Amino acid sequence: MNERVYYLDIAINAAIEYVKRKEGIELEGKDRLRYKSIIINDDEFHDFAFFMYGLLIDYDNDTDELLVNELDGVRSGRYSKGDLAFLKSSIDRFGSLEEFQTAYKEFKNANNTKDIQEINKEFRKEFGIPDIIPIPGDLNNLIYQ
């Protein structure tokens, strides 16, 4: 199994879990198109998949290409909610993980501060990244139930 198929399978499993928690039902295999639609179009699902599994989902309408990547360490609890909110806000602001990483690396190299919290605070201020992501209560319950 190649990496792309592996991450797509993870996204489908996350969508299955999302629907099960949200609607209390498990769709059947014939509902694969509904899962694909959720994976591509449902912004709430994107937040759920990121905070629950560390999945970064991007769909290119022009090429009909679905890209799914996984941020290592999310499922093991490596990151706090605040860290995840910073990452998600930054990725959303820059449009992709790669763009965020490039900007962050340049910013970090230009600032001599070694304190990561101070760098993150200045980075937020410089690029207009919010301190928190407002997560509706029902989505928060889905993630942390």
Side-chain angles (χ1 to χ4, degrees):
M1 174 185 321
N2 70 33
E3 190 172 287
R4 187 172 176 203
V5 172
Y6 170 77
Y7 287 123
L8 179 58
D9 284 347
I10 290 176
I12 290 169
N13 288 333
I16 290 168
E17 183 68 21
Y18 173 73
V19 170
K20 190 185 308 180
R21 288 182 182 206
K22 185 173 184 173
E23 298 176 15
I25 61 170
E26 187 168 342
L27 300 175
E28 298 175 11
K30 65 183 181 207
D31 297 311
R32 189 172 174 89
L33 287 177
R34 177 157 180 231
Y35 285 129
K36 184 176 178 185
S37 176
I38 289 169
I39 292 167
I40 292 170
N41 300 310
D42 190 328
D43 290 335
E44 186 177 275
F45 168 73
H46 290 180
D47 290 342
F48 173 84
F50 180 77
F51 284 96
M52 189 80 179
Y53 301 104
L55 298 182
L56 298 163
I57 299 168
D58 188 28
Y59 178 72
D60 187 335
N61 284 321
D62 297 331
T63 63
D64 193 34
E65 184 174 9
L66 177 65
L67 300 172
V68 180
N69 291 298
E70 181 181 20
L71 181 64
D72 288 334
V74 172
R75 288 189 271 172
S76 67
R78 177 176 168 193
Y79 301 100
S80 69
K81 279 180 161 179
D83 292 341
L84 290 173
F86 172 72
L87 290 169
K88 179 73 169 131
S89 295
S90 298
I91 292 165
D92 288 349
R93 163 69 175 78
F94 287 97
S96 72
L97 177 61
E98 294 77 22
E99 293 293 323
F100 159 65
Q101 287 174 323
T102 300
Y104 189 80
K105 185 177 180 179
E106 289 174 10
F107 186 83
K108 188 176 174 184
N109 290 338
N111 291 280
N112 294 331
T113 304
K114 294 194 186 237
D115 179 36
I116 195 72
Q117 297 304 324
E118 188 62 32
I119 290 172
N120 291 352
K121 181 179 173 184
E122 291 301 316
F123 186 82
R124 280 188 167 109
K125 189 169 23 173
E126 177 80 20
F127 293 101
I129 296 169
D131 290 337
I132 60 169
I133 295 177
I135 298 177
D138 61 332
L139 178 58
N140 194 49
N141 291 339
L142 292 178
I143 294 169
Y144 297 107
Q145 71 180 5

